[in-house]
Amino acid sequence: MSEDQPKEYALGVLECDSQGSPPFTEAAYCRKLCKIGHKYGVQVVVFSPRWVHWHDLTVSGYVYGTHGWVQRIVPLPSLLYDRCAYSNSNQYRKTRTAIARLIRDANVTLLGIGLRGKWDVYQSLSKEPFLLDILPRTRLFAGAGSLADQLNECGGELFLKPHGGTHGKSTLHVRRLFGSDASAGNERDASVLGAYLHLRGRDERNRPIHRTFAHPGEGLKWIARFIGKRKFIVQPYLTLVTQTGEPFDIRILMQKNEKGRWSFTGMAARVGRQHSITSNLHGGGHAVSVVPFLESQFEPEHVQRLVQQLRSYSEIIPPILEARHGRLTEVGLDFGIDREARLWLLEVNSKPGRSVFRQTGEQEAAIKSVENPILYARYVMVRYLRRVSP
């Protein structure tokens, strides 16, 4: 730390409250943030937005030191890093209300905003012609009737996921089959053998779903009940699996650096379990290094092109989203690759995890993934202080 810099800045890290000790989520990540913050002169205070003392604008937060986590009452930091991940609608409603009040009444600044959801991201990116080749056609779920029409349009297979979901929860692969053995997937003349509807996926608690309906209409009604009043998107089902049938995707982490510029932190391939529909680590997947993995799956000429495309698209997408949605701190981009070696953008997450780098053993990316939010926060603080100070 240079002599002309203030000794220490304060960064508030917003987490959802939870049971246990310490009583908030992502304790391991927050511990790393505290240690990196100490290295760079940034005091990190972790708290739930619901712990603010409004009468004097202080907060009962947690700091990590030589004796572990310690609870302290400190002045409310003016810069906040929002890492809240919601486990249910009630928690979402109460916490978002508290964050909105912080922004409205406490004169705080968020280090970056959260993207609104999959449908909003799709609408923003689909306006860019050069991205259309990697975007699966996406629509909003509009009831069982429209889903039946979409099944016909997409060759009998669809993929449904919640507009605001994470970790592969509440995802569904819907497949229309013909034949007496639906589980075998025999597709025959529907006029001779009846149609079935086979569903597989994960529920709200990430438990596996396997359902077969002898009458497709009953299956469509079940899907409508499963979705309820939630906002879901519908896409064609893409076959994004390894040569041996495991689902996989490529996670790329892009972050703002110490100069406030977008930078590439790292990438990893996430490989799911056989017969699963997602590769998320929360659903039992594991992470491996990208280039050796791609070399095991595709011809050499495809591997070089794919790596170049992954890097190129990852540099292009964050500034586009930022221009349309507001300032971002970091994004995780999930790409799929089909068996014809075609690249697809599956999802963009503004509150990405970073445990993939620990699994792949890529130590430099693992360190940068924690350092960058602290360095970017310090950049924002220094720039703000210089602007308002004489």
Side-chain angles (χ1 to χ4, degrees):
M1 189 164 46
S2 64
E3 292 182 0
D4 61 342
Q5 279 186 332
K7 183 179 180 181
E8 193 170 76
Y9 302 104
L11 173 67
V13 178
L14 301 182
E15 293 283 357
C16 287
D17 49 298
S18 66
Q19 300 296 320
S21 179
F24 53 82
T25 53
E26 288 195 311
Y29 176 50
C30 291
R31 182 176 67 249
K32 294 174 185 176
L33 287 173
C34 290
K35 291 182 176 180
I36 295 294
H38 180 73
K39 176 181 176 181
Y40 290 107
V42 177
Q43 183 190 39
V44 175
V45 183
V46 185
F47 59 94
S48 163
R50 298 163 63 184
W51 298 349
V52 174
H53 306 145
W54 287 100
H55 67 282
D56 60 357
L57 288 184
T58 59
V59 63
S60 296
Y62 285 79
V63 297
Y64 191 85
T66 54
H67 300 293
W69 288 108
V70 178
Q71 187 176 22
R72 289 182 184 167
I73 296 178
V74 298
L76 179 66
S78 59
L79 185 64
L80 305 178
Y81 176 31
D82 181 7
R83 286 291 303 177
C84 292
Y86 309 105
S87 58
N88 55 65
S89 58
N90 185 51
Q91 186 184 58
Y92 172 84
R93 184 174 61 256
K94 291 181 177 179
T95 307
R96 291 307 304 173
T97 299
I99 292 175
R101 186 180 179 188
L102 279 168
I103 296 170
R104 184 183 67 244
D105 298 339
N107 194 31
V108 299
T109 299
L110 293 183
L111 191 60
I113 56 94
L115 292 172
R116 296 181 190 131
K118 299 177 182 67
W119 176 243
D120 296 300
V121 169
Y122 174 77
Q123 287 186 302
S124 295
L125 297 181
S126 62
K127 291 181 172 65
E128 305 292 340
F130 56 88
L131 294 179
L132 292 177
D133 282 347
I134 65 168
L135 295 175
R137 185 177 62 181
T138 302
R139 299 178 186 176
L140 281 176
F141 175 76
S146 65
L147 196 64
D149 293 336
Q150 288 167 295
L151 270 173
N152 291 330
E153 293 172 11
C154 296
E157 287 192 84
L158 294 171
F159 195 70
L160 284 75
K161 48 189 174 181
H163 164 72
T166 58
H167 303 152
K169 296 176 183 178
S170 296
T171 51
L172 280 179
H173 172 204
V174 182
R175 188 180 185 194
R176 186 183 59 206
L177 304 172
F178 299 104
S180 57
D181 184 1
S183 63
N186 298 321
E187 298 195 13
R188 303 174 186 171
D189 186 354
S191 64
V192 177
L193 295 169
Y196 294 77
L197 207 63
H198 183 65
L199 313 179
R200 64 190 184 107
R202 292 188 174 275
D203 66 12
E204 287 181 299
R205 296 169 61 182
N206 225 355
R207 297 173 301 189
I209 294 172
H210 293 281
R211 299 290 298 266
T212 300
F213 294 88
H215 301 287
E218 292 301 314
L220 295 172
K221 290 178 183 177
W222 185 93
I223 293 171
R225 290 193 300 270
F226 174 79
I227 291 174
K229 296 182 179 180
R230 294 179 293 172
K231 193 174 183 178
F232 264 61
I233 61 170
V234 183
Q235 297 175 330
Y237 179 75
L238 303 172
T239 304
L240 308 172
V241 296
T242 66
Q243 294 175 1
T244 51
E246 297 102 343
F248 77 91
D249 64 13
I250 309 297
R251 160 60 64 88
I252 294 183
L253 180 60
M254 298 291 295
Q255 296 177 300
K256 295 278 188 67
N257 61 18
E258 72 278 2
K259 296 180 180 179
R261 298 172 185 163
W262 284 107
S263 63
F264 173 87
T265 297
M267 60 181 174
R270 302 185 302 182
V271 184
R273 294 175 177 174
Q274 243 182 358
H275 309 302
S276 174
I277 65 167
T278 65
S279 54
N280 299 77
L281 304 189
H282 288 79
H286 66 280
V288 295
S289 297
V290 169
V291 173
F293 172 77
L294 293 180
E295 288 174 342
S296 74
Q297 298 296 317
F298 301 100
E299 295 298 324
E301 64 271 17
H302 289 315
V303 173
Q304 185 177 6
R305 171 183 57 81
L306 286 167
V307 171
Q308 290 174 345
Q309 285 183 317
L310 287 164
R311 290 293 297 261
S312 176
Y313 281 121
S314 296
E315 290 170 0
I316 291 169
I317 290 169
I320 292 173
L321 291 173
E322 194 166 46
R324 296 185 183 275
H325 295 272
R327 186 171 67 189
L328 298 166
T329 302
E330 55 191 351
V331 292
L333 300 109
D334 297 338
F335 292 92
I337 305 172
D338 64 25
R339 293 317 307 165
E340 285 70 50
R342 179 175 175 179
L343 194 70
W344 298 93
L345 178 65
L346 305 179
E347 195 163 329
V348 183
N349 185 353
S350 56
K351 296 179 183 178
R354 54 216 77 213
S355 59
V356 288
F357 305 123
R358 186 177 68 251
Q359 288 199 16
T360 62
E362 296 174 46
Q363 193 64 19
E364 182 180 353
I367 294 171
K368 281 178 62 179
S369 72
V370 183
E371 279 189 339
N372 277 334
I374 296 296
L375 294 173
Y376 177 55
R378 193 178 65 169
Y379 162 81
V380 171
M381 294 172 191
V382 170
R383 186 179 64 166
Y384 175 76
L385 287 174
R386 284 176 178 169
R387 186 170 68 244
V388 300
S389 300

